[in-house]
Amino acid sequence: MHCPRLSAPCWFPGRLWSQNCSSHVRRAVVTCFSAGCCERHGNRPVRYCKRCHVNHHSSEVGAAAETHLYQTSPPPINTRECGAEELVCTVEAVISLLKEAEIYAEQREFELNRRRQMGLSASHHSLDNIEFDNKEDDQHDQRLLSQFGIWFLVSLCTPNENTPTESLARLVSMVFQWFHSTAYMMDDEVGSLVEKLKPQFVTKWLKTVCEVRFDVMVMCLLPKPVEFARVGGYWDKSCSTVTQLKEGLNRILCLIPYNVISQPLWECFMPEWLEAIRTEVPDNQLKEFREVLRYKLFLKWLGPNLVPHGSQLSS
């Protein structure tokens, strides 16, 4: 049997390659790789809207219908079409993409530690002109990969009261870590593009989570969340409890400027942090935590006018 070689598809998000489409909703939801469909479109995988998918594939009968190989777009997580397997795949895809930003953050942290040991300037701004990868284009692509995770998040993972707790907690925890990973991204075109995603999409998504599942937000901000909410960053490494507490406080610091943490949230999780520091941190390291709490966390939370950052959200 002769099998024609398929040409590479032209991937434009949502663009149809099906001719004579009469649907009012011309959004591609299926990509078909079968010979029967591809031959009619220059041996290219063809993208169909929902109506064209039904018309082309349900009309085939017998063995011919079984030869069609097509890939469907993942359904939103709170719809009937999204089964247990699709839910896991979508959540883990978002997490995997957002973790791409961690690699760049780890490179910067390594360089900061090296400069401290050498007695050089060790501020994050001092690294803006340093290349961490010999392949600049690859580095930029790697940093930009996390934006696809954000687009998946806001388009497929809209939270509501019925969203499974474990799935939502894993997403929220990874989004918090993404804020931390991108907090000191290089101030260039790529860094600016990623930074714009936060006010445009991510803070709105988190505000929706806070409105419909306040308990999940609190859970992910605790010093010791449940096991399934320990995603990304220091939770993926083998480190001491003290290091986990330090990194957790830094993550909260990165969320405060975006009004993500409302006053009711703060009142729920901050007592837990103070208790964890009191019981878990050795006496000889308490001074460092006091300085972080007093001069970084609380002053950043109150702001220059001594008004909590989250007061607008809570109102």
Side-chain angles (χ1 to χ4, degrees), residues 18 27 35 68 94 113 133 162 204 213 255 272 280 302 305-306 314:
S18 171
R27 180 172 180 81
H68 281 255
V94 172
N113 292 332
D133 198 319
N162 300 319
K204 296 176 182 177
R213 292 299 303 273
L255 294 172
E272 298 288 336
E280 301 287 348
L302 291 174
N305 299 320
L306 300 182
S314 62

Side-chain angles (χ1 to χ4, degrees), residues 177-197:
Q177 180 60 35
W178 179 79
F179 269 86
H180 181 253
S181 300
T182 58
Y184 301 106
M185 192 171 279
M186 189 183 299
D187 189 16
D188 58 2
E189 183 179 356
V190 177
S192 177
L193 180 62
V194 173
E195 186 66 25
K196 288 179 181 179
L197 296 173

Side-chain angles (χ1 to χ4, degrees), residues 107-153:
Q107 291 175 336
R108 288 179 67 91
E109 192 62 33
F110 176 82
E111 180 64 20
L112 277 176
N113 292 332
R114 189 185 70 85
R115 293 174 71 88
R116 290 190 187 102
Q117 294 173 1
M118 297 175 62
L120 301 175
S121 174
S123 67
H124 284 278
H125 294 294
S126 67
L127 305 183
D128 284 349
N129 296 323
I130 296 179
E131 295 292 343
F132 297 101
D133 198 319
N134 293 329
K135 298 180 179 180
E136 185 176 351
D137 293 339
D138 291 344
Q139 176 198 20
H140 286 184
D141 290 343
Q142 189 179 56
R143 287 192 290 163
L144 284 174
L145 277 175
S146 67
Q147 76 174 337
F148 295 106
I150 296 300
W151 292 343
F152 265 133
L153 178 78

Side-chain angles (χ1 to χ4, degrees), residues 79-235:
T79 59
R80 292 182 179 178
E81 293 81 7
C82 185
E85 184 177 356
E86 288 85 354
L87 174 63
V88 172
C89 289
T90 301
V91 170
E92 296 308 313
V94 172
I95 290 174
S96 180
L97 286 168
L98 294 184
K99 280 186 177 181
E100 291 294 328
E102 291 186 8
I103 300 173
Y104 182 75
E106 289 173 357
Q107 291 175 336
R108 288 179 67 91
E109 192 62 33
F110 176 82
E111 180 64 20
L112 277 176
N113 292 332
R114 189 185 70 85
R115 293 174 71 88
R116 290 190 187 102
Q117 294 173 1
M118 297 175 62
L120 301 175
S121 174
S123 67
H124 284 278
H125 294 294
S126 67
L127 305 183
D128 284 349
N129 296 323
I130 296 179
E131 295 292 343
F132 297 101
D133 198 319
N134 293 329
K135 298 180 179 180
E136 185 176 351
D137 293 339
D138 291 344
Q139 176 198 20
H140 286 184
D141 290 343
Q142 189 179 56
R143 287 192 290 163
L144 284 174
L145 277 175
S146 67
Q147 76 174 337
F148 295 106
I150 296 300
W151 292 343
F152 265 133
L153 178 78
V154 298
S155 62
L156 299 178
C157 305
T158 303
N160 62 26
E161 296 85 351
N162 300 319
T163 305
T165 299
E166 179 174 344
S167 300
L168 186 57
R170 289 181 61 80
L171 290 172
V172 171
S173 184
M174 190 61 231
V175 169
F176 288 164
Q177 180 60 35
W178 179 79
F179 269 86
H180 181 253
S181 300
T182 58
Y184 301 106
M185 192 171 279
M186 189 183 299
D187 189 16
D188 58 2
E189 183 179 356
V190 177
S192 177
L193 180 62
V194 173
E195 186 66 25
K196 288 179 181 179
L197 296 173
K198 297 176 183 178
Q200 289 180 348
F201 302 109
V202 190
T203 55
K204 296 176 182 177
W205 186 86
L206 287 172
K207 184 178 180 180
T208 302
V209 176
C210 196
E211 291 172 351
V212 300
R213 292 299 303 273
F214 183 83
D215 59 316
V216 173
M217 287 287 284
V218 174
M219 177 193 305
C220 295
L221 288 168
L222 294 175
K224 293 182 179 180
V226 294
E227 191 68 30
F228 55 73
R230 301 182 181 188
V231 184
Y234 54 93
W235 294 121

